[in-house]
């Protein structure tokens, strides 16, 4: 009997029986269908440089407005031109930011910040994983691009890459040092130089 009691106490210690966790419940921190344009983040990214622009209204796009709470699955012959869209990719709903027009001399979006409120509270010690992607990056002349993800007042992912570049999957695991309540402002920021595609795949508490 004693050995069973000791074993039960050992298992209880492994699983923190009878005590509340000091970290948050794992799961998604955001919904990629909920992003909206934002003027926030100037203190982190600076003001948009001269000549920057972003066409926020989709062009020649029968799929718009996007279905509420769902990803968009474009047909191969779609004429839609959109600077940002919640797009279906395998089992994920990703946020895609497009920077090119059909005419590569015409920019679509070379500077954008989007925002939404967080779905979960974050506590000190929580680890948040940010996963992103960019396509092969091209431009008429060399330059630099940047993707950044912000939680409240802290940058959780800050990725810069020289153009031209092959496609890559930037990611980061950020550890919180203080509390962030549900509804904390989240920002996704893209700076581009050229005709390219950027993607926020997911952000979740581990």
């Amino acid at each position: 009997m004693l050995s069973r009691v000791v074993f039960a106490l050992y298992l209880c210690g492994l699983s923190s029986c009878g005590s509340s966790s000091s970290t948050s419940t794992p799961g998604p921190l955001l919904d990629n269908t909920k992003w909206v344009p934002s003027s926030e983040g100037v203190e982190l990214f600076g003001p948009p440089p001269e000549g920057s622009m972003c066409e926020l209204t989709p062009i020649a796009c029968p799929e718009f407005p996007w279905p509420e709470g769902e990803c968009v699955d474009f047909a191969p012959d779609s004429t839609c031109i959109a600077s940002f869209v919640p797009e279906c990719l395998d089992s994920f709903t990703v946020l895609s930011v497009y920077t090119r027009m059909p005419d590569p001399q015409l920019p679509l979006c070379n500077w954008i910040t989007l925002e939404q409120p967080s779905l979960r509270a974050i506590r000190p010690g929580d680890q948040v994983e940010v996963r992103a992607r960019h396509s092969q990056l091209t431009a008429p002349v060399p330059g630099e691009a940047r993707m950044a993800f912000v939680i409240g007042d802290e940058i959780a992912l800050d990725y810069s890459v020289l153009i031209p570049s092959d496609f890559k999957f930037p990611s980061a695991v950020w550890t919180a040092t203080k509390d962030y309540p549900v509804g904390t402002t989240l920002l996704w920021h893209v700076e581009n130089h050229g005709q390219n595609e950027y993607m926020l795949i997911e952000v979740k508490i581990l």
Side-chain angles (χ1 to χ4, degrees), residues 125-138:
D126 282 350
Q127 290 188 312
V128 177
E129 182 182 34
V130 183
R131 298 176 59 214
R133 177 191 183 278
H134 64 70
S135 65
Q136 183 178 10
L137 304 182
T138 62

Side-chain angles (χ1 to χ4, degrees), residues 100-181:
R100 60 189 181 275
M101 289 283 200
D103 180 349
Q105 301 303 315
L106 299 176
L108 174 63
C109 186
N110 52 27
W111 180 284
I112 189 171
T113 303
L114 303 167
E115 72 170 90
Q116 68 169 277
S118 64
L119 298 178
R120 298 171 184 267
I122 301 174
R123 299 173 181 170
D126 282 350
Q127 290 188 312
V128 177
E129 182 182 34
V130 183
R131 298 176 59 214
R133 177 191 183 278
H134 64 70
S135 65
Q136 183 178 10
L137 304 182
T138 62
V141 294
E144 187 175 40
R146 182 186 187 189
M147 296 188 290
F149 183 80
V150 177
I151 299 173
D153 56 355
E154 294 194 43
I155 297 180
L157 169 72
D158 196 354
Y159 172 82
S160 295
V161 60
L162 294 176
I163 299 174
S165 172
D166 291 334
F167 74 89
K168 294 180 182 177
F169 290 87
S171 65
V173 175
W174 171 83
T175 302
T177 59
K178 63 181 181 181
D179 287 304
Y180 292 89

Side-chain angles (χ1 to χ4, degrees), residues 67-80:
E68 182 70 25
E70 298 180 18
C71 60
V72 180
D73 191 6
F74 292 110
D77 60 349
S78 175
T79 59
C80 185

Side-chain angles (χ1 to χ4, degrees), residues 93-106:
T93 297
V94 302
L95 173 69
S96 296
V97 174
Y98 291 94
T99 67
R100 60 189 181 275
M101 289 283 200
D103 180 349
Q105 301 303 315
L106 299 176

Side-chain angles (χ1 to χ4, degrees), residues 10-72:
Y10 170 73
L11 291 179
C12 202
L14 289 179
S15 59
S16 301
C17 297
S19 63
S20 60
S21 173
S22 61
T23 56
S24 302
T25 303
L29 191 62
L30 54 80
D31 180 343
N32 271 331
T33 70
K34 302 298 185 184
W35 291 104
V36 295
S38 175
S39 60
E40 299 294 321
V42 174
E43 67 281 2
L44 297 171
F45 312 124
E50 184 178 356
S52 64
M53 60 84 64
C54 191
E55 177 59 61
L56 299 178
T57 302
I59 302 168
C61 192
E63 294 89 351
F64 187 79
W66 317 132
E68 182 70 25
E70 298 180 18
C71 60
V72 180

